[in-house]
Amino acid sequence: MTETRIRTGGCACGQLTFRTQGEPKRVGLCHCMTCRKISGAPFNAYLIFAIDQVAISGDFRGWSATPESERCFWTSCGSQVFDRDSDTEIEIKLGAFDEPNLFTPTYEAWARRREHWLRTPDLESFPENRGKAS
């Protein structure tokens, strides 16, 4: 019998927490301007899980909704924890997990916006959105 792996994480102050069950669908990096601007970093590292693999606890009133996605930030400490781009998937920030070194990205999106000094070996690279040719 195989054991389903449970992993935990949350915001900086610990009032918003999550639990994931099983393995993510994918793990990636994004260099797009939206990810750069909302994180204040040169890229975003994230995991995509099926929505039914994630349980979230806490009063996450800090939703910022756009036509493309919903971003959650915890109002007490300002942490960005997850995004929802669809009704079936949830994007969790890699740095929000309690343990480091759990996952390794396998691809990068918007590579044409990657900082020239940043090296990302052994990643499938997409010039723009994942799966697009240009």
Side-chain angles (χ1 to χ4, degrees):
M1 186 160 132
T2 42
E3 185 177 321
T4 301
R5 181 98 191 254
I6 304 291
R7 296 175 182 97
T8 60
C11 68
C13 70
Q15 293 181 35
L16 178 104
T17 61
F18 64 84
R19 227 174 77 126
T20 64
Q21 187 172 328
E23 297 305 312
K25 290 181 165 188
R26 57 191 180 275
V27 182
L29 304 177
C30 185
H31 306 278
C32 79
M33 290 309 292
T34 301
C35 285
R36 294 168 64 97
K37 296 288 185 176
I38 63 170
S39 69
F43 62 91
N44 176 29
Y46 57 89
L47 297 89
I48 303 293
F49 281 93
I51 205 124
D52 63 355
Q53 289 179 271
V54 180
I56 299 166
S57 300
D59 181 14
F60 45 94
R61 291 173 292 223
W63 281 108
S64 169
T66 68
E68 298 84 35
S69 69
E70 295 176 303
R71 292 184 189 93
C72 174
F73 63 93
W74 183 243
T75 53
S76 296
C77 64
S79 295
Q80 298 173 19
V81 180
F82 60 88
D83 293 351
R84 280 193 355 198
D85 294 335
S86 76
D87 292 336
T88 60
E89 294 181 336
I90 187 166
E91 175 185 303
I92 300 177
K93 307 291 184 185
L94 183 59
F97 282 86
D98 291 333
E99 292 179 56
N101 302 308
L102 292 173
F103 305 99
T104 302
T106 59
Y107 72 95
E108 64 176 345
W110 284 91
R112 69 183 184 94
R113 297 209 186 250
R114 181 187 336 110
E115 293 287 331
H116 67 87
W117 49 262
L118 184 62
R119 303 291 179 246
T120 53
D122 301 324
L123 293 180
E124 184 176 10
S125 187
F126 299 98
E128 292 185 1
N129 285 336
R130 189 176 76 86
K132 290 192 177 182
S134 57

